[in-house]
Amino acid sequence: MAFAKWIGAFLGLLSGGPFGAIAGYALGYIVDDFISNSNQLTSGEQEPHSQQRRTTYTRRTTQTQRGTQQEGERNSYLFSLLLLSSHIIMADQKIMHSEMEYVRRTLRNNFGTAAESQGNEILLRLFERHKQLGTALWTEQIRQCCYQMVGAMSVEERLQLLAFLCEIAKADGSVVQVEVDRIRSIANWLSINVDEVDKLLHLGSNKIEDAYKVLGVSPDATDDEVKKAYRKMALQYHPDKVSTLGDDVKAAAEKKFKEINAAKELIWAARGL
């Protein structure tokens, strides 16, 4: 299983606990490879002999640490996306082709063909783990993993994960209640207001009534209330909020942002704003 630069074994703050255990199972030997390579790098470092070399070494070390931290955050986000996706895909105890294809297509379009293949393989491993543990224990582990995510990710990053799960639920053209219930549970575990789920499930529609639901306001709301709701949502879902995770993650967020703006334009046109 060669994950190249798309996703690695280093998961930063999420390397331990239930999250780390599931990741270790899904990623396999790559974890050992990463630890081995890290140890070789550490043992190969030479102590500098001059003040200039010490300054250069310190600067490079700081840059390396910053880069490693960002890599860990990115890998944590990508694996979280696959982990939570597997939980939603299995909500109705069926692995729907349309839902799997949506995940594969998203990975391919935003991260490349290697990500599509590797992400598919990781999902299959996660389905296997789900089956081994049983639904009750698996769900408990997902809950614990979500708690870990809260401590390691910003609310904006967690909102992007939730948005992706809603798109999976819509992929087969029919959102069933068990999927909604699971997404709502995940929202709660991620310390996100469950009302966000209803907003996200109505994205992509060209109906004015759905546009109001996207912003979470009533058609009877005042213009000021509508504008305030839009500004809040635009700030939460702005692509720049996830830019540190990489250009490809930011690009995926931009699509969601455009859909939010499309809902806003429907309402603005209807109100003459």
Side-chain angles (χ1 to χ4, degrees), residues 112-122:
T113 54
E116 176 187 7
S117 174
Q118 295 157 8
N120 186 72
E121 189 172 350
I122 291 173

Side-chain angles (χ1 to χ4, degrees), residues 146-167:
C146 286
Y147 291 164
Q148 287 183 261
M149 293 175 202
V150 173
M153 298 181 188
S154 68
V155 64
E156 291 84 8
E157 291 168 354
R158 285 176 270 137
L159 281 168
Q160 289 297 333
L161 289 175
L162 195 69
F164 188 77
L165 300 182
C166 290
E167 291 304 312

Side-chain angles (χ1 to χ4, degrees), residues 5 23 60 85 119 155 178 188 225 228 242 249 263 271:
K5 294 182 179 180
R60 288 177 179 174
S85 295
V155 64
V178 67
N188 185 46
E225 288 172 334
K228 182 179 179 181
V242 294
V249 174
R271 289 175 173 244

Side-chain angles (χ1 to χ4, degrees), residues 81-144:
L81 185 148
L82 293 173
L83 176 61
L84 297 180
S85 295
S86 73
H87 190 55
I88 299 305
I89 291 173
M90 287 292 290
D92 53 6
Q93 302 300 313
K94 295 181 292 185
I95 300 176
M96 301 295 292
H97 171 76
S98 54
E99 294 173 343
M100 288 291 290
E101 182 55 30
Y102 175 79
V103 176
R104 287 192 291 259
R105 183 172 65 252
T106 300
L107 294 176
R108 180 174 65 251
N109 292 343
N110 292 288
F111 305 102
T113 54
E116 176 187 7
S117 174
Q118 295 157 8
N120 186 72
E121 189 172 350
I122 291 173
L123 279 175
L124 295 178
R125 292 276 286 173
L126 290 170
F127 295 148
E128 181 181 290
R129 190 59 173 163
H130 185 165
K131 184 177 180 180
Q132 290 176 350
L133 294 177
T135 299
L137 182 54
W138 169 262
T139 300
E140 173 59 21
Q141 294 218 340
I142 292 294
R143 183 174 70 89
Q144 293 296 330

Side-chain angles (χ1 to χ4, degrees), residues 21 23 37 66 69-70 74-75 85 128 136 149 175 225 227:
N37 291 335
R66 187 181 301 115
Q69 179 182 350
Q70 290 181 345
R74 172 184 166 81
N75 291 342
S85 295
E128 181 181 290
M149 293 175 202
V175 180
E225 288 172 334
K227 290 177 181 179

